[in-house]
Amino acid sequence: MTFDFRILAIILAFTGVVFSPTAEAQVRMGNGELNVPATMVAESQRVKPGQNVTLAFVMEPKPTWHGYWENPGDAGIGMSFDWTLPAGVTAGKAQFQVPDRLLISGIMNYVYKGDYAVLVNLTLSDRVQPGPLPISVKSEWLSCTDEICVPEQDEMSITLQVVGKDADIVLDKRFDGFRAALPRPLGSEASFAVTDDLFRLSIPLPAGVALDTPYFFIHNDGIVDYAAPQKFSRDGDRLILETQARGEGLDMISGVLKIGDHMGLSFTATRGEVAMTGVPLRAEDGPKDQNLASLLFLALGGAIVGGLLLNLMPCVFPILSLKAISLAKAGGNEAVVRRDALAYTAGVVLVATSLGAILLGLRASGAAVGWAFQLQDPRIIFVLLALVTAIGFNLAGMFELPNVNFGNKLARKDGAAGSFWTGALAAFVATPCTGPFMAAALGATIILPPVAALVIFAGLGVGLALPFLLIAFVPAIRSRLPKPGPWLDGFRKAMAVPMFLTSIGLIWLLGRQIGTDALGLSLIFLLLVALILWWFGGAQMKGSSRGALTSAAMVAAILGGIIALPGEAAMDSQKLAGNSAATLPSEPFSEARLSELRASDQPVFAYFTADWCITCKANEAAAIQRTETADAFAAAQVAVLMGDWTRPDPAISQFLEKHGRAGVPLYLYYAPGQEPVILPQILTVATLTELVGKAA
């Protein structure tokens, strides 16, 4: 039988109220003084119908006093709210900052020892009319010292102003600091088990994340012994916790992992199998010289270098090379050159950052997605197929598109708008997978604050635009570029070849995702696109304009093609069951199968790929699907597991995140009884065969 220390806390609280000589001064029922005073402030005094506004309850404990987290631990009471709101206004769940611990006589309290803030979002419906918006709330909380606890309450109110859609909104900058202390969503689901009075929790966390005295604050009461020590160990890209259990019965729990001062990760965990494996972690084991600033710096460098290498992709290089040559024709006009370069960079960075923001938003909503998630949707591929094909025909000279000019008009300046949209298109078609240096950079976005993560995605865009910037801002580089001349027309048409090859690759990808029906549909679609563009180009040669009709025809063709795409049933039936006929046969990846093979002490090579990932396919052709590799693996009895991420697969997405990856490729080698080895993203036959030889 266990004793609920909350009962003791309440008894002590009311004992303090009755017997303490200062109780009347400590409890504020009217105009008395509070020990943990609360002030309700709004992020904006003005709000629009259909939008949200965030309120903060700023708590300022007096010296020696403290307040409590939403789960107070063994003793204490969390903060409650009784709202009085106008019609059409609703209050969301309170958001609490990362707490501290306070252990008194074996009783564990989850507290705030200094100033803190509790945030609540108010949502206004579209029906709320402009004018004053009175908000009031009665809140109760418990204030304590090490010796006495006092229940406190206050009635707070604030009047906001509902304004029109065009009105300016001024935000309180203090809320940036309030939100910085909130736990960030981990984006991956953990697992827990209760066995023999022990509670174990397995948390997916990249091995490179620095930890400063980690601690798990659980939301659910009655599951763990709050005062019991928490033991942590590292097992690759998982953090394992073991502590004393108090009870069980739940299939899902949630909580916050504190990883540093005012820093934490929130997540949910489902019941599963968890073993206490890995290397024990002590407080002093965490890296002393690594913090978020250094992690951000290293990840940003990797993103810039990785983005630079993306320029070598066959669908990007023609755009880059022709735009670079377009700078050479500007001669000494530095203003034009730099304007175009900055516009191009703006387009690249905007698309890269937007894709990153969508990715972070999907993760925060609980979706298991990773980098290049957009290419897992056949509809996006269909649109991309139309764009790449149109660029190919433009390079081949079938038509001219003034706003995205690659060809004959290079003798004239393209304009900032053309450079911007060229950069946006280059970024969109250059992000099908992660390349060298990008894996760690994009993996860091899993645990970095959202603003810092967006900086990483923007850095990827800067790297992609870096050659263009160097050409524009370093005259010595630009002067070495070949000057435009008669040869340029032939070069331009030659650059159409890689674009058409990219189109063929996209058709093949559609076939892999949807089936053979997609191949016929894609060819019919390409014929229709070619006819539309040929008709448009013919009109241009005669000096007439059919731009509006051509745009309408292209939109109709794309929408019709998307509607005609096979449905989910065809997509599901197309999923591969493996590639047993390949040079290096494999089984479909699953964590259960991986655990089974490792339990039998069999070496395992697990690789994660996608049909749209150029790096993946290059590695498979050059290193994985080679006779030498297959012979070496067969001699060492290496089991091969292949994770196909061509289409969305939450299990693979979560596994990638556990290993600090936001996308493919990922290559892992498990020697019997050893931690997995993460292989480089560019493989050779020697890399694989030597690894097997060393393990043997």
Side-chain angles (χ1 to χ4, degrees):
M1 180 177 179
T2 61
F3 182 79
D4 191 345
F5 286 97
R6 295 189 183 193
I7 299 176
L8 175 62
I10 296 173
I11 294 174
L12 290 174
F14 283 100
T15 301
V17 172
V18 174
F19 294 101
S20 172
T22 60
E24 290 184 2
Q26 293 168 342
V27 182
R28 178 181 177 183
M29 296 299 182
N31 297 320
E33 186 178 3
L34 293 172
N35 300 293
V36 183
T39 304
M40 181 171 64
V41 296
E43 187 172 13
S44 173
Q45 292 296 320
R46 311 175 82 190
V47 63
K48 301 177 182 180
Q51 296 188 358
N52 298 337
V53 62
T54 302
L55 302 181
F57 294 86
V58 182
M59 317 296 290
E60 300 175 302
K62 293 181 178 179
T64 74
W65 289 84
H66 58 259
Y68 285 87
W69 190 50
E70 52 188 315
N71 177 2
D74 281 325
I77 301 174
M79 194 172 184
S80 64
F81 305 90
D82 183 10
W83 294 93
T84 300
L85 301 172
V89 180
T90 56
K93 186 177 182 295
Q95 304 174 62
F96 289 79
Q97 296 174 336
V98 179
D100 295 312
R101 291 173 285 159
L102 179 62
L103 185 64
I104 303 176
S105 300
I107 299 175
M108 177 62 74
N109 301 265
Y110 294 159
V111 303
Y112 297 103
K113 299 176 183 178
D115 295 352
Y116 63 101
V118 179
L119 304 186
V120 176
N121 288 326
L122 297 183
T123 302
L124 279 65
S125 73
D126 295 330
R127 301 187 305 274
V128 176
Q129 298 298 315
L133 190 72
I135 306 295
S136 61
V137 62
K138 179 180 180 181
S139 183
E140 298 180 355
W141 61 92
L142 188 68
S143 303
C144 293
T145 67
D146 292 354
E147 299 176 351
I148 187 174
C149 289
V150 178
E152 298 185 333
Q153 66 177 15
D154 199 1
E155 294 184 6
M156 293 166 277
S157 62
I158 189 172
T159 299
L160 306 178
Q161 188 71 24
V162 181
V163 296
K165 296 181 179 179
D166 298 330
D168 294 331
I169 301 294
V170 179
L171 300 180
D172 189 336
K173 295 183 178 179
R174 290 179 297 171
F175 279 72
D176 294 336
F178 297 156
R179 291 192 177 93
L182 293 174
R184 301 184 300 277
L186 180 60
S188 298
E189 191 174 84
S191 57
F192 76 96
V194 178
T195 307
D196 299 329
D197 295 328
L198 289 177
F199 172 87
R200 292 195 180 103
L201 177 67
S202 177
I203 307 168
L205 191 69
V209 176
L211 298 173
D212 182 8
T213 315
Y215 190 87
F216 175 58
F217 295 92
I218 188 171
H219 285 133
N220 312 85
D221 188 31
I223 303 298
V224 302
D225 184 346
Y226 298 116
Q230 294 188 359
K231 301 176 182 178
F232 288 91
S233 66
R234 281 279 198 186
D235 187 359
D237 290 311
R238 297 194 75 84
L239 187 68
I240 312 296
L241 159 69
E242 182 179 86
T243 189
Q244 191 70 31
R246 177 182 289 181
E248 55 180 318
L250 297 179
D251 292 327
M252 178 176 289
I253 62 171
S254 63
V256 172
L257 173 67
K258 186 174 183 178
I259 61 176
D261 190 25
H262 302 296
M263 295 166 50
L265 302 169
S266 62
F267 58 89
T268 59
T270 56
R271 185 179 295 274
E273 297 289 335
V274 179
M276 195 62 184
T277 58
V279 179
L281 180 68
R282 300 172 297 171
E284 60 267 28
D285 288 337
K288 298 298 185 293
D289 58 346
Q290 185 175 10
N291 51 33
L292 280 182
S294 60
L295 178 61
L296 174 61
F297 178 77
L298 293 174
L300 182 59
I304 292 175
V305 176
L308 177 63
L309 295 177
L310 287 179
N311 286 288
L312 301 178
M313 293 181 60
C315 50
V316 178
F317 181 74
I319 300 174
L320 173 69
S321 59
L322 289 168
K323 290 299 293 182
I325 293 174
S326 74
L327 293 180
K329 51 79 181 175
N333 195 337
E334 296 288 339
V336 172
V337 171
R338 293 178 178 180
R339 180 205 63 190
D340 284 358
L342 292 175
Y344 179 88
T345 302
V348 172
V349 172
L350 178 63
V351 170
T353 307
S354 299
L355 289 173
I358 295 172
L359 175 61
L360 294 176
L362 290 173
R363 282 182 184 161
S365 68
V369 295
W371 186 244
F373 63 93
Q374 69 274 15
L375 292 180
Q376 295 176 330
D377 189 332
R379 294 167 297 183
I380 299 297
I381 297 175
F382 212 74
V383 173
L384 191 57
L385 174 61
L387 291 174
V388 171
T389 303
I391 293 173
F393 283 130
N394 175 255
L395 293 173
M398 178 182 286
F399 72 98
E400 294 296 335
L401 188 59
N403 287 335
V404 187
N405 189 348
F406 303 115
N408 291 339
K409 298 183 181 179
L410 285 174
R412 298 187 295 141
K413 60 183 181 181
D414 295 335
S419 295
F420 175 86
W421 290 112
T422 302
L425 179 62
F428 186 74
V429 301
T431 54
C433 63
T434 56
F437 301 99
M438 284 177 58
L442 296 179
T445 63
I446 298 172
I447 53 93
L448 283 171
V451 174
L454 289 177
V455 171
I456 301 302
F457 291 115
L460 176 64
V462 171
L464 184 59
L466 189 57
F468 208 11
L469 288 172
L470 291 175
I471 292 171
F473 285 86
V474 182
I477 297 177
R478 191 167 66 254
S479 64
R480 295 178 180 272
L481 292 176
K483 302 301 180 182
W487 64 273
L488 185 57
D489 185 64
F491 179 76
R492 168 195 174 182
K493 292 177 179 177
M495 288 296 98
V497 175
M499 301 307 294
F500 288 136
L501 291 176
T502 302
S503 298
I504 294 173
L506 291 171
I507 294 173
W508 173 79
L509 177 57
L510 279 172
R512 296 279 287 180
Q513 286 191 338
I514 305 177
T516 55
D517 289 345
L519 295 178
L521 176 63
S522 301
L523 293 174
I524 294 173
F525 173 72
L526 284 183
L527 176 60
L528 181 59
V529 167
L531 290 174
I532 293 173
L533 296 178
W534 172 75
W535 179 72
F536 175 60
Q540 283 186 327
M541 294 179 183
K542 296 177 181 178
S544 61
S545 175
R546 297 172 179 171
L549 289 175
T550 301
S551 299
M554 287 291 290
V555 170
I558 293 173
L559 291 177
I562 290 175
I563 294 173
L565 284 173
E568 287 292 328
M571 297 172 71
D572 292 336
S573 65
Q574 188 62 20
K575 291 194 69 174
L576 299 177
N579 60 342
S580 57
T583 302
L584 181 66
S586 66
E587 302 178 52
F589 172 84
S590 71
E591 290 199 64
R593 181 56 176 158
L594 176 62
S595 300
E596 180 182 339
L597 291 169
R598 295 193 69 189
S600 64
D601 288 333
Q602 186 172 358
V604 180
F605 173 65
Y607 70 100
F608 298 84
T609 182
D611 289 336
W612 38 260
C613 174
I614 294 178
T615 306
C616 304
K617 294 306 169 186
N619 282 329
E620 289 164 28
I624 298 176
Q625 298 297 334
R626 296 292 294 272
T627 303
E628 304 95 312
T629 303
D631 292 343
F633 277 24
Q637 296 184 331
V638 177
V640 180
L641 300 179
M642 189 266 285
D644 188 354
W645 207 47
T646 301
R647 290 196 52 229
D649 190 325
I652 293 180
S653 299
Q654 292 170 6
F655 190 84
L656 291 172
E657 288 188 2
K658 293 174 189 176
H659 291 78
R661 294 292 187 266
V664 290
L666 173 64
Y667 306 105
L668 300 170
Y669 181 74
Y670 297 83
Q674 299 182 22
E675 293 300 311
V677 176
I678 299 180
L679 304 181
Q681 288 199 299
I682 300 298
L683 297 180
T684 64
V685 172
T687 301
L688 298 177
T689 55
E690 289 175 6
L691 185 67
V692 174
K694 290 177 182 178

